[in-house]
Every structure is written in C-alpha cells, then in structure tokens.
C-alpha cells in the first residue's frame, strides 16, 4: 500500500510544480488519508515538490503522541513528527529549511482564520499561498483500490436489503425507525464499518419528502416505502435508493415508478467519458419533463462518491465540468407527489469507456412485498 500512497503524492507534486509551489500543507484528514493511509483524528502533512517516490526526505507527516504506534504502521515511508498542533508544528519545522519551502500552499478551504494566524506566526518568512482543492482534484477519479472498496461497500448494502426483505423486515405494523435500524444492523453484519449516512426510510406520504428522517410512522398496506442507505467499507461510501410497495400497487404507483425507472435508465446510459455533467442531468430530467412531472423532480440527478458521501462531480443543472473514466457517481432521479407518495431509484456507478459499471446490483424492478 505504501507504493499506492507514494504514487498519489507524486501526482500531487506534478500539480505543485505546475503552480510554482515548493510544498503543500495538507490539513484535511480525508485528504491526509488519501495521501498516506492514516486514519487517526489529528494529523497534518507537508508534501514537498522536489521529492520523488522513494526519495521523500523533505515530505513530513505529523500527528500527536496518541497515534505514535498507529503512525508507525500506517505511514512507515515518511518522516514522522510527533507534536501538536500538528499543522503549526510542521510549518515551524519547514521554516528551519526556508529555501526548500519558500512558496508553500495550504488548504485554504479547510483552514480557519484563527488557524491561519497561527501558521503565519510560525512561517518565519515562508510565503503561505491559498491552494484549495488540489487533492480533491486528484480524488475525483478513482484508482482500482478505491473502486474495489466502493464495490465492497455496495455489496454490503445490497446483501443487507436482500436479507431485510427475505426475513420479512418490510411489513405493515413496523415503524420507519425499526426498519432503518435493522437495515443498518444488517449492513454492519455484512462487513460495513458503519452506515455511510443516516439511513432514510420513508413510508406512505413521507416517501414524497426527498430526505425524510425516519420516525415512528408505521408501514401500512398499499404504502410506498422508500429506502436511501449506504455502507462504509475501508473509508469508502456506497449510496443506493430503492422504493418498494407493500401489497399490490395502484395504477398511480405503477405510473410514477415506471417513469422514474425510465428516467434513471436514461441517466445511466448518458454516463460516458467526456459528457458534460449538465447533459447527464438533462438526459434523465427530460424523461420526467416530457411526462409533465418536471416540477416534481426536486433535486439534482446525482453526485460523486468516495471518501465522502457527497463529492465532485455534481450531476445537476448547476454542475460544471465533464466526466472522466474512473469517476464514481450516483444516478438518482425521483418524482414526489406531496401528501401522497414518491419514488426514487438510485445506483452507484463507475464511469467507463465501454459503458458505466454498476456497483449496486439490487433489482430496479418494482418490488411488491
């Protein structure tokens, strides 16, 4: 794994050299995990642009004494400094070798004004330059290790839902909270570290609320039950939504379910390298617009997933940029009839040259339970 993290740091150095920066001070813990594998709750990292894989003598990792042993195991290939506050301690150390760090970028989107004051006091003549989003730019395209973690996270969620249905967990008389709790427990039993986010279970009219939080509302015959959930595996998040019906569906339920399924299929089919994110949203949204229900599709089509449940790119009318092979995204159109019920169908997929790779494998046919 050390070689994997070394390659990621070298990719960051390419950006640093292009921007004329001597180093980057990394303070965001997810970005530090991406670059080193460290999973503790306090750390900072100084990546020097002049280093190279196998010769990173000027790149230094810092954490505090609680993580001494953990850092030795997880970051064996870098110099380790044990001190806190870690970011300030690193800048202070960099100031002793000012000629190697004259222009040092920092993650301005993660550094508070107060923290910046402390860094400036320690800089000793080093120029601190705002450098937001450099690592997030690298994280947007997933490598094979990341995709495998996403694949396992999706499999844990798929199995949890299958077990829930097979064991009668979706039945009239249960509350939304009870179903959500069981679904989360089953994800844990299938290898998840924890849920990706607070599980959404919404029954009846509540299913028309896109991000309803589970309550004591009871599942009833004839209800739509919308479940939006995911599993966290090796730090990577899955995201899936399925909507089922308790008993034989009515015509209006079949109509909107089939509409959302058609919209979701159109969005999936549009996932191609080079496609504009706005066009992906439009491909899915146009299906619902043509049916006269555009006003009932209340959110963007999807988002990136990875070390965060929501990351770039944004598949929405307001999104920017184009897709690249290796991006992991969701496609999740919905139609919501206020006071009546709603449907969302969501998958996690990886953009590929030959067509998107589907990671969430639970059927998208309307499940009648």
């Amino acid at each position: 794994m050390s070689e994997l993290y070394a390659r990621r740091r070298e990719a960051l150095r390419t950006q640093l050299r292009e921007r004329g920066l001597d180093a980057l001070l990394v303070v965001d813990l997810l970005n530090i995990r991406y670059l080193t594998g460290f999973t503790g709750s306090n750390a900072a990292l100084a990546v020097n642009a002049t280093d190279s894989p196998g010769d990173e003598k000027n790149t230094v990792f810092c954490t505090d004494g609680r993580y001494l042993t953990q850092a030795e195991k997880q970051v064996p290939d870098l110099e380790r400094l044990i001190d806190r506050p870690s970011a300030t301690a690193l800048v202070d150390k960099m100031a002793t070798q000012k000629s190697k760090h004259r222009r040092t970028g920092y993650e301005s989107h993660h550094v508070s004004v107060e923290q910046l004051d402390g860094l400036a006091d320690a800089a000793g003549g080093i120029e601190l330059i705002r450098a937001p989003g450099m690592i997030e730019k690298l994280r947007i395209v997933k490598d094979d290790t990341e995709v495998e973690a996403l694949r396992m996270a999706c499999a844990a969620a798929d199995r949890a839902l299958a077990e829930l249905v097979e064991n009668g967990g979706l039945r009239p008389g249960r509350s939304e909270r009870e179903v959500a709790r069981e679904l989360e427990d089953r994800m844990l039993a299938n290898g998840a570290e924890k849920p990706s986010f607070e599980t959404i279970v919404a029954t009846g009219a509540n299913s028309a609320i896109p991000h309803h939080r589970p309550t004591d509302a009871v599942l009833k015959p004839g209800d739509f039950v919308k479940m939006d959930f995911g599993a966290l595996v090796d730090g990577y998040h899955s995201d899936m939504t399925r909507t089922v019906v308790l008993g034989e569906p009515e015509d209006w339920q079949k109509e909107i379910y089939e509409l959302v399924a058609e919209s979701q299929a159109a969005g999936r089919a549009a996932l191609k390298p080079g496609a504009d994110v706005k066009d992906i949203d439009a491909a899915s949204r146009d299906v619902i617009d043509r049916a006269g229900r555009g006003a009932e599709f209340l959110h963007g089509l999807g988002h990136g997933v990875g070390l965060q449940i929501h990351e770039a790119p944004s598949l929405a009318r307001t999104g920017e940029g184009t897709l690249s092979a290796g991006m992991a995204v969701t496609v999740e159109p919905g139609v919501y009839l206020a006071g009546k019920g709603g449907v969302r169908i969501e998958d996690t997929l990886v953009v590929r040259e030959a067509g998107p790779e589907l990671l969430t494998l639970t059927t998208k046919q309307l499940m009648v339970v």
Side-chain angles (χ1 to χ4, degrees):
M1 289 298 287
S2 292
E3 292 181 0
L4 171 66
Y5 299 123
R7 287 197 300 271
R8 291 175 181 175
R9 293 192 294 269
E10 184 59 23
L12 174 60
R13 289 191 187 96
T14 298
Q15 288 193 56
L16 293 176
R17 294 164 190 147
E18 289 172 351
R19 294 189 55 173
L21 295 174
D22 297 313
L24 180 69
L25 177 68
V26 186
V27 298
D28 179 69
L29 288 171
L30 288 180
N31 287 340
I32 291 168
R33 178 172 185 163
Y34 178 79
L35 293 172
T36 68
F38 181 73
T39 59
S41 66
N42 176 55
L45 175 70
V47 179
N48 190 278
T50 62
D51 286 348
S52 59
D55 184 20
E56 296 186 88
K57 58 181 178 295
N58 298 305
T59 295
V60 183
F61 171 85
C62 184
T63 187
D64 64 70
R66 296 172 297 165
Y67 297 111
L68 177 63
T69 301
Q70 180 177 336
E72 289 174 350
K73 291 181 179 179
Q74 293 184 329
V75 196
D77 52 340
L78 295 178
E79 179 184 347
R80 295 179 297 280
L81 176 65
I82 305 301
D83 203 348
R84 66 182 310 173
S86 295
T88 304
L90 272 183
V91 171
D92 186 63
K93 179 178 175 62
M94 294 164 75
T96 66
Q97 298 176 303
K98 185 169 62 176
S99 62
K100 297 179 180 179
H101 308 100
R102 290 188 184 279
R103 290 173 47 82
T104 292
Y106 70 95
E107 295 186 296
S108 53
H109 55 318
H110 294 300
V111 173
S112 68
V113 173
E114 184 173 352
Q115 187 179 13
L116 180 59
D117 288 343
L119 297 176
D121 288 342
I126 291 175
E127 184 181 2
L128 296 175
I129 300 168
R130 293 175 57 140
M134 295 186 71
I135 301 162
E136 287 85 351
K137 182 179 179 181
L138 297 176
R139 284 171 43 193
I140 197 170
V141 172
K142 273 56 181 179
D143 57 38
D144 291 345
T145 300
E146 293 177 288
V147 172
E148 182 57 28
L150 288 167
R151 190 177 289 116
M152 292 189 296
C154 290
D158 277 325
R159 289 193 296 266
L161 180 57
E163 292 173 0
L164 179 75
V165 174
E166 290 167 3
N167 288 277
L170 291 174
R171 62 180 183 271
R174 299 198 82 193
S175 72
E176 293 170 340
R177 283 198 178 101
E178 288 172 329
V179 174
R181 189 176 304 117
E182 181 175 347
L183 193 51
E184 291 180 347
D185 287 345
R186 290 189 180 279
M187 285 191 287
L188 295 175
N190 280 288
E193 300 161 25
K194 61 180 182 179
S196 287
F197 50 90
E198 183 181 7
T199 296
I200 294 171
V201 175
T203 190
N206 290 339
S207 63
I209 303 170
H211 276 196
H212 173 73
R213 301 183 72 179
T215 68
D216 291 326
V218 173
L219 280 62
K220 298 176 183 177
D223 277 356
F224 268 141
V225 181
K226 183 184 69 195
M227 295 164 289
D228 187 345
F229 59 102
L232 183 73
V233 174
D234 289 341
Y236 284 80
H237 300 73
S238 70
D239 198 355
M240 175 169 70
T241 305
R242 292 295 185 268
T243 306
V244 307
V245 65
L246 300 182
E248 194 61 30
E250 297 183 24
D251 288 345
W252 72 270
Q253 291 174 313
K254 292 178 183 178
E255 175 198 339
I256 67 168
Y257 192 92
E258 291 168 2
L259 177 61
V260 173
E262 181 184 354
S263 171
Q264 210 255 357
R268 296 197 318 269
L271 293 177
K272 298 176 181 178
D276 191 292
V277 295
K278 293 186 179 72
D279 293 339
I280 310 299
D281 179 273
S284 185
R285 193 174 301 276
D286 286 350
V287 173
I288 296 174
D289 285 343
R290 289 195 300 270
R293 295 197 176 276
E296 293 154 346
F297 182 2
L298 304 173
H299 50 73
L301 179 64
H303 55 85
V305 289
L307 287 170
Q308 292 173 288
I309 187 59
H310 293 101
E311 33 179 79
S314 173
L315 308 184
R317 287 181 288 194
T318 57
E320 296 181 354
T322 58
L323 297 183
S324 297
M327 290 182 177
V329 298
T330 68
V331 174
E332 50 180 303
V335 169
Y336 310 93
L337 309 184
K340 194 171 185 179
V343 172
R344 182 164 65 251
I345 303 172
E346 175 186 19
D347 285 311
T348 298
L349 310 99
V350 180
V351 180
R352 302 293 194 193
E353 292 287 349
E357 178 185 354
L358 183 64
L359 300 186
T360 41
L361 303 180
T362 297
T363 181
K364 287 180 281 292
Q365 296 295 316
L366 177 58
M367 285 190 283
V368 178
V369 295

